[in-house]
Amino acid sequence: MEILENREAWQAAYKEGWLAHWRKTGETNWKIYNRPNHKTAPSGKGIDLSQSRLLLISSAGGYLPASQNPFDAENDLGDYSIRQFSIDSAPTDIAFAHTHYDHTAVNEDQQVLLPLRHLKEMVSAGEIGELAPQVISFMGYQPDAVRVVDECIPLIIAAAQAQNAQAALLVPS
Amino acid sequence: MEGIATTLTSWNAGRTRVTKPPRATFTRLSRGATIGRPHDTAQQKRVLKATLDLLAHDAPLDPVQLNEKVD
């Protein structure tokens, strides 16, 4: 199945509408943004989570400032790259480069967007088989759906496969 | 992601529903606190468990609305 349904029509509307307006005015006008509107959901078999490796995927813009570059959060056209960091990273080692949500809650309690402590407890309780060793992180401000499909998603899939993930939990911000 | 069972939770049912996720829970939580209120461990665990429980089922599933709110 297509990840982005009606890709060519979506891309034409994006280029002629939202993107053309941004190029002309420098404004990000969401009133004229055509959000993807899908008709079909992906199908797939259920799994026994207690026997599976679960991967956490976050769109909150998390990264390790000591060793990684931040996401380009100020770019009106988005950032389609990913970062990976250990599930054992100390909360104080993780920062968030994403200017499109209020960071008050995540600065107070990282579990609201990166629930690694809770997930580890579920592993200890036998509810989850194990966690994939790296969190996959991206910055969810990505207005170009075609670039999401062509750039970001292949990076996520490759990283997920490299970690032999059998299940994934996406936590958007 | 073909071959990888996926699930998500979202505070924004309107925008998420049209992307047709294979499995999803929806809440009335807020942007920047998707899993629950800060330090409300009980709520965070409820949201996580409900969302992860969907992985046991074949997809696609109809999204599940949770009675989880900001206040």
Side-chain angles (χ1 to χ4, degrees):
Chain A
M1 65 175 292
E2 283 186 307
I3 297 175
L4 175 61
E5 294 181 14
N6 302 311
R7 172 188 170 114
E8 291 177 4
W10 184 89
Q11 189 172 36
Y14 170 73
K15 285 183 174 178
E16 293 163 15
W18 188 91
L19 186 59
H21 180 81
W22 178 81
R23 285 183 170 145
K24 185 176 178 182
T25 67
E27 296 172 354
T28 55
N29 183 349
W30 303 105
K31 292 180 180 175
I32 60 172
Y33 183 75
N34 58 315
R35 298 186 185 282
N37 189 349
H38 289 179
K39 304 298 180 196
T40 306
S43 60
K45 288 288 185 189
I47 52 104
D48 178 355
L49 188 56
S50 71
Q51 301 297 316
S52 300
R53 174 177 279 200
L54 178 73
L55 170 69
L56 176 60
I57 304 174
S58 164
S59 69
Y63 72 106
L64 301 177
S67 57
Q68 298 174 334
N69 291 323
F71 293 96
D72 188 4
E74 301 291 344
N75 189 335
D76 284 347
L77 300 184
D79 184 329
Y80 303 83
S81 62
I82 68 169
R83 308 286 182 273
Q84 295 185 70
F85 53 83
S86 169
I87 59 172
D88 296 320
S89 301
T92 50
D93 290 341
I94 303 169
F96 296 89
H98 194 324
T99 57
H100 298 267
Y101 68 89
D102 184 343
H103 289 197
T104 302
V106 75
N107 288 342
E108 191 176 331
D109 177 10
Q110 225 167 67
Q111 301 302 306
V112 302
L113 290 177
L114 288 176
L116 287 165
R117 189 179 74 235
H118 299 324
L119 293 174
K120 287 177 180 177
E121 287 176 6
M122 293 178 77
V123 172
S124 297
E127 298 171 67
I128 298 171
E130 61 182 346
L131 297 181
Q134 302 279 315
V135 176
I136 296 178
S137 174
F138 63 101
M139 194 276 288
Y141 176 79
Q142 297 174 318
D144 189 337
V146 169
R147 290 189 64 189
V148 173
V149 172
D150 290 350
E151 298 176 34
C152 188
I153 290 178
L155 293 172
I156 292 172
I157 290 174
Q161 290 175 336
Q163 296 191 61
N164 296 316
Q166 285 127 12
L169 167 65
L170 170 62
V171 179
S173 53
Chain B
M1 294 193 291
E2 194 167 350
I4 301 175
T6 59
T7 189
L8 66 83
T9 185
S10 172
W11 52 267
N12 193 331
R15 288 192 187 169
T16 306
R17 192 182 299 277
V18 296
T19 67
K20 292 287 184 185
R23 302 173 186 84
T25 59
F26 295 152
T27 68
R28 294 184 180 85
L29 292 163
S30 61
R31 186 190 298 268
T34 307
I35 298 295
R37 293 180 290 261
H39 304 300
D40 189 340
T41 299
Q43 182 183 55
Q44 295 167 2
K45 287 184 174 181
R46 286 196 305 271
V47 171
L48 268 181
K49 179 166 176 33
T51 304
L52 292 172
D53 280 350
L54 302 183
L55 289 167
H57 303 280
D58 292 350
L61 283 179
D62 287 336
V64 175
Q65 180 68 52
L66 304 181
N67 186 30
E68 302 290 351
K69 304 173 184 175
V70 174
D71 48 21

